[in-house]
Amino acid sequence: MTPLELYQRPGFLLRRLHQIAAAVFENACADLGLTTAQYGVLVIVHSEPGIDQTRLARALAFDKVTVMRVLRGLEERGLVERVSSGRQKTLALTAAGHELLVQARARAETASRRLMSPLDSDDQAQLVRLLQTLANGLADEARAPFVPLQR
């Protein structure tokens, strides 16, 4: 295999695009100190108050270690708290977490538009459809399950 052949492989291109997507988002949210993973947690916890850590991990397709690491960082910043609910601990945004999410939403949308900006609207829609088809068609290969929230 030559470098050119490597550079044309879907896996290489997807990994490279993930790097770019993370950089675009993190640049847009740099002054908020927010990563894509942290933003995802804030969105899910906001939309599902009282969600437990296992459902959160599945809703974002995170493994247990990743969700614990991200939650620990958000808890240390006072953005998310664990709430006792009987025998189970659930998650909730703090006031500071809610405020940060409000600040981050427009920036996340700007980052998303920037990421898709090289494509026209038809190509953007096609790319999303193709990525969804790949993700759904290969879901059984994933290391972490994805169980989207139903709403």
Side-chain angles (χ1 to χ4, degrees):
M1 173 178 293
T2 68
L4 181 58
E5 291 169 322
L6 173 68
Y7 300 154
Q8 294 174 352
R9 296 258 184 182
F12 179 88
L13 292 168
L14 288 168
R15 183 188 59 78
R16 181 68 181 137
L17 191 55
H18 178 264
Q19 291 173 324
I20 293 167
V24 167
F25 180 90
E26 289 171 13
N27 288 339
C29 293
D31 64 317
L32 301 178
L34 201 59
T35 67
T36 58
Q38 292 168 334
Y39 180 73
V41 168
L42 294 177
V43 167
I44 297 297
V45 172
H46 176 263
S47 70
E48 282 287 315
I51 194 169
D52 63 65
Q53 186 173 312
T54 300
R55 279 189 63 224
L56 172 66
R58 289 179 180 155
L60 293 168
F62 285 171
D63 59 53
K64 289 179 183 181
V65 172
T66 300
V67 78
M68 286 175 27
R69 181 180 45 80
V70 173
L71 280 172
R72 186 176 311 119
L74 292 172
E75 285 178 295
E76 288 171 359
R77 291 177 61 186
L79 303 172
V80 172
E81 62 187 354
R82 293 179 195 270
V83 179
S84 291
S85 177
R87 295 182 356 211
Q88 192 172 24
K89 294 241 185 204
T90 61
L91 301 164
L93 290 186
T94 64
H98 180 74
E99 178 59 33
L100 185 65
L101 180 58
V102 168
Q103 292 174 20
R105 279 192 170 135
R107 295 165 196 224
E109 184 56 36
T110 298
S112 183
R113 283 193 307 272
R114 172 67 186 116
L115 184 63
M116 298 296 270
S117 66
L119 303 175
D120 65 31
S121 61
D122 289 341
D123 286 345
Q124 289 176 16
Q126 182 180 16
L127 175 62
V128 170
R129 279 192 307 273
L130 291 171
L131 291 171
Q132 288 172 330
T133 299
L134 281 171
N136 293 335
L138 297 170
D140 60 332
E141 300 286 334
R143 293 183 180 154
F146 175 55
V147 182
L149 297 177
Q150 302 299 316
R151 281 220 173 185

